[in-house]
């Protein structure tokens, strides 16, 4: 190909890419308040004052003020891939001070109940794994890694290698939420009470006991809607998981790679297969969304200016 044509094509490529890479939409340092989908978003949207809406790749981003703090309210989209993509997107387009996730989850720890709000200290991706082949001697994975949680049948955790500008690459099985934000969450949770009832669709939903707030432990994520009692027991035993969802570990990983503080609040809408008869997410996702939003708003109020 002649050199002139190569230069022209390169220039066209650079011109096409530049607006996507360089366009900053807002320079005010803000806290990202992230949700995954509609009910979680709706529990917070009405409280944002001075809203200014943006749409990027079809996803809504709203800047404004929430509980005295400059925020960006957004949806990550459901799934780890969507969550990773939109987390990097908001970091590239806005001036982000920290990320605070508010959402629902499935309960894994048998000590927890629907409606409880959990703030894990770390997050793992339980399907970053090798699928082993079956041999006469048992399951044989293609490789093994020191420190990995034990396998579930043919699924052998392999962790994720992550680097950032300030840290050398290393393999993680769980990645930490920001310790300072977790410490603040403990202080906020100590003085809070949650309602056991919420109005939803013209009906009043009530739980048999008042929900509790628990800070600490491990959460896990994967691109799976998990509703299996046996696998739930495995996650609790092998990963010491308290809750599971489909986005949080990806958000924590992208925040870590960008050296941005992040924390996740999750309220239980179901028990991930531990429910007595059927999954309860459709029944309690509104209540769980409201409970998580309630704690997140108290957390935002407590954040330093």
């Amino acid at each position: 190909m002649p050199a002139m044509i190569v230069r022209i094509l390169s220039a066209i490529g650079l011109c096409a890419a530049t607006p996507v890479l360089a366009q900053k939409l807002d320079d005010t340092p803000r806290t990202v308040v992230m949700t995954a989908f509609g009910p979680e978003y709706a529990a917070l949207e009405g409280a944002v004052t001075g809203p200014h809406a943006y749409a990027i790749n079809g996803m809504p981003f709203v800047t404004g003020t929430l509980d005295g703090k400059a925020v960006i309210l957004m949806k990550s989209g459901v799934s780890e891939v969507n969550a990773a993509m939109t987390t990097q997107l908001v970091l590239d387009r806005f001036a982000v001070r920290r990320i605070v996730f508010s959402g629902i989850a499935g309960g894994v720890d048998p000590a927890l109940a629907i409606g409880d709000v959990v703030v894990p200290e770390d997050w793992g991706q339980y399907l970053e794994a090798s699928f082993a082949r079956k041999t006469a001697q048992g399951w044989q994975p293609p490789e093994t890694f020191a420190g990995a949680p034990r396998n579930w049948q043919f699924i052998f955790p392999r962790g994720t290698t992550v680097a950032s500008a300030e840290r050398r690459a290393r393999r993680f099985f769980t990645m930490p939420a920001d310790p300072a934000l977790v410490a603040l969450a403990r202080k906020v949770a100590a003085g809070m009470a949650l309602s056991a009832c919420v109005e939803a669709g013209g009906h009043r939903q009530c739980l048999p006991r008042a929900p509790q707030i628990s800070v600490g432990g491990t959460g896990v994520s994967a691109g799976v809607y998990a509703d299996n009692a046996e696998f739930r027991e495995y996650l609790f035993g092998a990963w010491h998981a308290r809750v599971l969802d489909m986005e949080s570990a990806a958000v924590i990983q992208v925040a870590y790679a960008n050296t941005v503080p992040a924390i996740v609040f999750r309220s239980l809408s179901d028990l991930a297969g531990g429910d007595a008869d059927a999954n309860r997410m459709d029944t309690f996702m509104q209540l769980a969304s409201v409970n998580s939003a309630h704690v997140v708003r108290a957390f935002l109020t407590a954040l330093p200016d």
Side-chain angles (χ1 to χ4, degrees):
M1 183 180 293
M4 179 62 72
I5 295 176
V6 172
R7 285 197 295 272
I8 291 171
L9 291 176
S10 297
I12 291 171
L14 287 172
C15 290
T18 298
V20 175
L21 296 174
Q23 186 182 9
K24 282 282 187 181
L25 299 178
D26 183 272
D27 292 326
T28 302
R30 297 180 185 274
T31 295
V32 171
V33 180
M34 190 179 294
T35 66
F37 74 131
E40 301 164 348
Y41 188 85
L44 291 159
E45 182 182 18
V48 176
T49 59
H52 183 88
Y54 301 87
I56 310 171
N57 294 354
M59 299 296 287
F61 296 77
V62 176
T63 59
T65 302
L66 180 60
D67 297 297
K69 302 302 187 295
V71 301
I72 308 157
L73 178 64
M74 63 174 285
K75 297 177 187 176
S76 68
V78 175
S79 90
E80 290 221 286
V81 174
N82 278 334
M85 176 179 66
T86 51
T87 301
Q88 190 62 58
L89 189 63
V90 75
L91 292 171
D92 289 342
R93 297 298 185 89
F94 296 89
V96 175
R97 298 182 68 179
R98 62 183 70 87
I99 298 172
V100 179
F101 202 111
S102 178
I104 66 174
V108 177
D109 185 342
L112 299 172
I114 289 175
D116 289 352
V117 174
V118 182
V119 189
E121 293 174 293
D122 52 38
W123 286 88
Q125 299 181 60
Y126 64 84
L127 284 186
E128 286 288 343
S130 300
F131 281 14
R133 64 175 60 198
K134 197 169 189 178
T135 71
Q137 292 73 41
W139 297 114
Q140 183 62 53
E143 53 188 346
T144 59
F145 299 93
R150 65 175 170 80
N151 62 297
W152 187 76
Q153 298 183 20
F154 59 88
I155 301 175
F156 284 72
R158 66 189 314 277
T160 309
T161 300
V162 185
S164 76
E166 298 180 2
R167 307 175 180 100
R168 295 178 61 185
R170 54 169 287 201
R171 185 174 299 276
F172 291 91
F173 295 101
T174 62
M175 300 192 69
D178 183 74
L181 295 182
V182 172
L184 179 61
R186 281 198 174 89
K187 293 179 181 178
V188 171
M192 288 196 67
L194 297 176
S195 172
C197 299
V198 69
E199 298 291 337
H203 300 285
R204 187 171 175 80
Q205 298 173 348
C206 290
L207 299 166
R209 70 161 176 83
Q212 309 294 311
I213 306 171
S214 180
V215 181
T218 297
V220 293
S221 306
V224 173
Y225 185 159
D227 188 41
N228 182 279
E230 183 180 359
F231 198 74
R232 176 181 186 256
E233 291 174 2
Y234 158 73
L235 290 175
F236 181 64
W239 287 82
H240 309 293
R242 310 198 68 206
V243 295
L244 61 77
D245 64 37
M246 299 175 68
E247 299 85 23
S248 297
V251 175
I252 293 294
Q253 178 175 327
V254 175
Y256 176 93
N258 287 272
T259 62
V260 173
I263 188 171
V264 177
F265 295 75
R266 290 283 185 170
S267 180
L268 274 57
S269 60
D270 62 274
L271 300 180
D275 311 271
D277 48 4
N279 187 280
R280 299 295 186 185
M281 190 192 82
D282 287 344
T283 302
F284 290 109
M285 67 179 170
Q286 169 107 10
L287 185 149
S289 296
V290 169
N291 276 353
S292 181
H294 183 57
V295 180
V296 163
R297 292 189 63 186
F299 180 80
L300 290 175
T301 300
L303 282 172
D305 293 326

